[in-house]
Amino acid sequence: MAAGGGRKVVCITSGGTTVPLEQRCVRYIDNFSSGHRGAAAAEYFIEAGYAVVFLYRIGSVLPYTRSLPDEPLLECLELDDDSNIRVRKSCAEAVKKYHAAVAGNLLIKLPFTTIFEYLQMLQIVAQAMKPLGRYAMLFLAAAVSDFYIPWQSMAEHKIQSASGPLDMRLVQVPKMLSILRTEWSPLAFCISFKLETDSKILLEKADMALRKYKMHMVVANELQTRKEEVIVVTLDEKIPVHRDKSQPDSDVEQPLVELIVDKHSTYINNHR
Amino acid sequence: MAAGGGRKVVCITSGGTTVPLEQRCVRYIDNFSSGHRGAAAAEYFIEAGYAVVFLYRIGSVLPYTRSLPDEPLLECLELDDDSNIRVRKSCAEAVKKYHAAVAGNLLIKLPFTTIFEYLQMLQIVAQAMKPLGRYAMLFLAAAVSDFYIPWQSMAEHKIQSASGPLDMRLVQVPKMLSILRTEWSPLAFCISFKLETDSKILLEKADMALRKYKMHMVVANELQTRKEEVIVVTLDEKIPVHRDKSQPDSDVEQPLVELIVDKHSTYINNHR
């Protein structure tokens, strides 16, 4: 619980959005994102006393399932000698934690697939969190499409392959972060993520995003090293956050969430 | 078991392939396919005595998991009053059948993501099945990308969104079905699938594919009605296959696999 008594609530967005290429959609452009970061962060925020609204791409990683095999149902259950079904011990802990979080009203999951669903749900959630004021946080880790094909220029039917190369023109997705900050939930503590593959432009782009969209923090990460290190960019500082390499199972999300929770408390307390 | 004593083996391809848009890939084009049809067919082929090589897109539906909730691990397990983990009864049957199939060497699963992985694995599997002659079957239900960006014309880094609209030129993926038929596994019974959203061109396109790639069957299906009806196109006939609407849980894959098993037996027996 927050010091002032109010429950702190974080909306975590996680996974990639898609943009359809045809009106009756067979093909779409997708953004690679496993959802691992958002799922891990959700677990740590719940541990820190937050309630989590988990806005996630269908099929991406869910909280408490990171340590499980790829096909958990098939691989976590086993038959004993009498053909009874049993849960493998290594999987049981995750399931217990998940059910405890749901039963305690600390985790609600909302799935999306397309960029259109994502933006609409983000608006609804952010507006619903507006009454929480500074106790609300938006942790925008989803990999949101930058380009899309407007409905009126989309092919109605499946694009045919017989007629040679395919030329496509995609236009920019309107940036909604400014509207989120000014209208949907103006007091919420806002963290966005910047992923690049080119380290040379990463910090500059993170800094630009911070100023342009008035984020409280931008977490800069590079595709190749994102599981080892991120850099938290604020107006005043650039803070590198590493996973604890002395622990084999450690992750970068644990120290990252610790830092964010701390900064969020300061944000709440400074404006009392 | 086949009448002649040899084990019939079917390679089922299932789910959609991706094509990367960047060398260090953040974005990719994906083909919509849940993998439901391939997974259902695998179950019926195993029931009919086949061994199944299941070449599937990571994250698409697996055999014996169709009836399960979206998040099976979290939703199929429950805690009893003493906080012991139990499997919900509705889920137990699927897990038993899956383990029986794997333990009986009737199901092997091979995952892919990109079109490149898919084509390479298909070649390896088809060549490995060549010694089975007519007892081999290829059931090509995967939604394979038609267009891709060749490596040398791909952007190295994540495409930047600031510089206006994005123009892309995609070229056709080489059609490998002819090589599969003539070289990789020339005697295997070959079934491909044709999905269209426009019913007017569907049968014509299925017929073209049948002749061009020398398939034994093409299963024509329309996006909107594909769970209710398909049309099996051969050189001699066009056979509509419907699900049994008097049964609420019926599917179109059961009668489809029955028909295919029958045609495959005829194919084997006619060439003795």
Side-chain angles (χ1 to χ4, degrees):
Chain A
M1 300 287 279
R7 164 76 74 188
K8 291 190 274 188
V9 178
V10 57
C11 170
I12 296 175
T13 70
S14 187
T17 64
T18 68
V19 299
L21 299 184
E22 296 134 336
Q23 288 184 5
R24 303 194 197 178
C25 181
V26 176
R27 299 190 186 87
Y28 54 90
I29 296 184
D30 207 341
N31 266 41
F32 166 75
S33 175
S34 66
H36 195 276
R37 176 151 287 158
E43 297 173 28
Y44 295 122
F45 276 117
I46 288 169
E47 241 176 66
Y50 282 71
V52 172
V53 180
F54 194 70
L55 192 56
Y56 73 104
R57 165 68 177 277
I58 292 177
S60 67
V61 180
L62 288 172
Y64 305 109
T65 65
R66 288 183 292 149
S67 57
L68 300 176
D70 278 349
E71 296 137 27
L73 185 74
L74 300 178
E75 302 300 340
C76 282
L77 305 186
E78 57 190 2
L79 298 174
D80 66 16
D81 297 340
D82 300 325
S83 266
N84 293 314
I85 296 242
R86 280 190 323 218
V87 182
R88 292 200 172 125
K89 277 218 179 87
S90 58
C91 302
E93 203 51 38
V95 177
K96 279 193 185 178
K97 284 187 177 168
Y98 166 77
H99 282 284
V102 171
N105 285 324
L106 297 175
L107 176 61
I108 184 168
K109 303 189 314 272
L110 302 173
F112 64 82
T113 300
T114 67
I115 175 78
F116 312 114
E117 291 165 345
Y118 170 80
L119 288 176
Q120 202 142 40
M121 291 171 78
L122 180 61
Q123 176 175 8
I124 292 166
V125 172
Q127 286 173 336
M129 287 169 73
K130 192 173 178 177
L132 298 172
R134 295 192 163 78
Y135 285 84
M137 188 195 297
L138 291 154
F139 180 97
L140 305 169
V144 182
S145 315
D146 295 307
F147 298 102
Y148 78 118
I149 300 189
W151 187 257
Q152 62 275 19
S153 44
M154 245 185 240
E156 183 187 349
H157 287 293
K158 185 180 171 192
I159 300 163
Q160 294 299 318
S161 63
S163 34
L166 173 65
D167 290 305
M168 280 195 304
R169 163 157 285 202
L170 295 124
V171 303
Q172 277 181 258
V173 171
K175 302 288 183 186
M176 304 309 287
L177 286 186
S178 305
I179 297 172
L180 179 135
R181 288 287 291 127
T182 53
E183 292 178 27
W184 297 347
S185 202
L187 291 178
F189 192 68
C190 268
I191 302 154
S192 72
F193 284 73
K194 195 77 193 166
L195 172 76
E196 293 292 341
T197 60
D198 185 351
S199 61
K200 289 195 286 294
I201 62 169
L202 176 61
L203 284 181
E204 185 196 335
K205 302 268 306 177
D207 213 57
M208 270 172 52
L210 187 82
R211 288 162 202 279
K212 186 166 174 193
Y213 305 119
K214 298 188 171 42
M215 293 289 109
H216 297 95
M217 280 182 177
V218 174
V219 181
N221 55 128
E222 203 190 317
L223 187 62
Q224 307 290 322
T225 59
R226 69 194 192 283
K227 293 186 176 173
E228 296 297 320
E229 185 194 46
V230 298
I231 298 171
V232 173
V233 178
T234 70
L235 277 180
D236 314 318
E237 352 169 54
K238 293 189 171 46
I239 312 166
V241 178
H242 301 271
R243 77 174 185 90
D244 178 357
K245 288 193 182 103
S246 69
Q247 303 293 324
D249 291 337
S250 70
D251 54 45
V252 71
E253 287 78 17
Q254 184 164 28
L256 177 63
V257 170
E258 265 175 39
L259 175 71
I260 292 171
V261 168
D262 188 54
K263 297 277 181 194
H264 188 207
S265 291
T266 308
Y267 173 74
I268 293 171
N269 292 324
N270 280 354
H271 290 84
R272 254 176 228 288
Chain B
M1 301 288 277
R7 164 74 74 186
K8 290 190 274 188
V9 178
V10 57
C11 170
I12 296 176
T13 70
S14 188
T17 64
T18 68
V19 299
L21 299 184
E22 295 133 337
Q23 289 184 7
R24 303 195 198 178
C25 180
V26 175
R27 299 190 185 87
Y28 53 90
I29 297 184
D30 207 342
N31 267 40
F32 168 75
S33 174
S34 66
H36 195 276
R37 176 152 289 159
E43 297 173 27
Y44 295 122
F45 276 117
I46 288 170
E47 240 176 68
Y50 283 71
V52 172
V53 180
F54 194 69
L55 192 57
Y56 73 104
R57 165 69 177 277
I58 292 177
S60 67
V61 179
L62 288 171
Y64 305 109
T65 66
R66 287 183 292 149
S67 57
L68 300 176
D70 278 348
E71 298 137 27
L73 184 74
L74 300 178
E75 303 300 341
C76 282
L77 305 186
E78 57 190 3
L79 298 174
D80 67 15
D81 297 340
D82 301 324
S83 267
N84 294 314
I85 297 238
R86 280 190 322 217
V87 182
R88 291 199 173 125
K89 278 217 179 87
S90 58
C91 302
E93 202 52 39
V95 177
K96 278 194 187 179
K97 283 187 177 168
Y98 166 77
H99 282 284
V102 171
N105 286 324
L106 297 176
L107 176 62
I108 185 169
K109 303 188 313 271
L110 302 172
F112 64 82
T113 301
T114 66
I115 176 79
F116 312 114
E117 291 165 346
Y118 170 80
L119 287 176
Q120 201 142 40
M121 292 171 78
L122 180 61
Q123 177 175 7
I124 292 167
V125 172
Q127 287 173 336
M129 288 170 72
K130 192 173 176 176
L132 298 172
R134 294 193 163 77
Y135 285 84
M137 188 195 299
L138 292 153
F139 180 96
L140 305 168
V144 182
S145 315
D146 295 309
F147 298 102
Y148 79 117
I149 300 188
W151 189 255
Q152 62 274 19
S153 45
M154 246 186 238
E156 182 188 350
H157 287 293
K158 185 182 172 191
I159 300 164
Q160 294 299 318
S161 64
S163 36
L166 172 66
D167 290 305
M168 282 195 304
R169 163 158 286 203
L170 296 124
V171 303
Q172 276 181 257
V173 171
K175 302 287 184 188
M176 303 308 287
L177 286 186
S178 305
I179 297 172
L180 180 137
R181 287 288 292 127
T182 52
E183 293 178 27
W184 297 349
S185 204
L187 291 179
F189 191 69
C190 268
I191 303 153
S192 71
F193 285 72
K194 197 77 194 165
L195 172 76
E196 293 291 341
T197 59
D198 185 351
S199 61
K200 289 196 286 292
I201 62 170
L202 175 61
L203 284 181
E204 185 197 333
K205 301 267 309 177
D207 212 57
M208 271 172 52
L210 186 82
R211 288 162 204 276
K212 187 167 174 191
Y213 305 116
K214 299 191 171 39
M215 294 289 109
H216 297 96
M217 279 183 177
V218 174
V219 181
N221 54 127
E222 204 190 317
L223 188 62
Q224 305 291 324
T225 58
R226 70 193 191 284
K227 293 185 176 175
E228 296 296 320
E229 186 195 45
V230 296
I231 298 171
V232 173
V233 177
T234 70
L235 277 180
D236 313 318
E237 359 170 46
K238 295 192 171 44
I239 312 167
V241 178
H242 301 270
R243 79 173 183 89
D244 178 357
K245 288 193 183 101
S246 68
Q247 303 293 325
D249 291 336
S250 69
D251 55 44
V252 71
E253 287 78 18
Q254 183 164 28
L256 176 63
V257 170
E258 265 176 37
L259 174 71
I260 291 171
V261 168
D262 188 55
K263 297 277 180 194
H264 188 206
S265 291
T266 308
Y267 173 73
I268 294 170
N269 292 325
N270 281 354
H271 289 85
R272 257 174 226 289

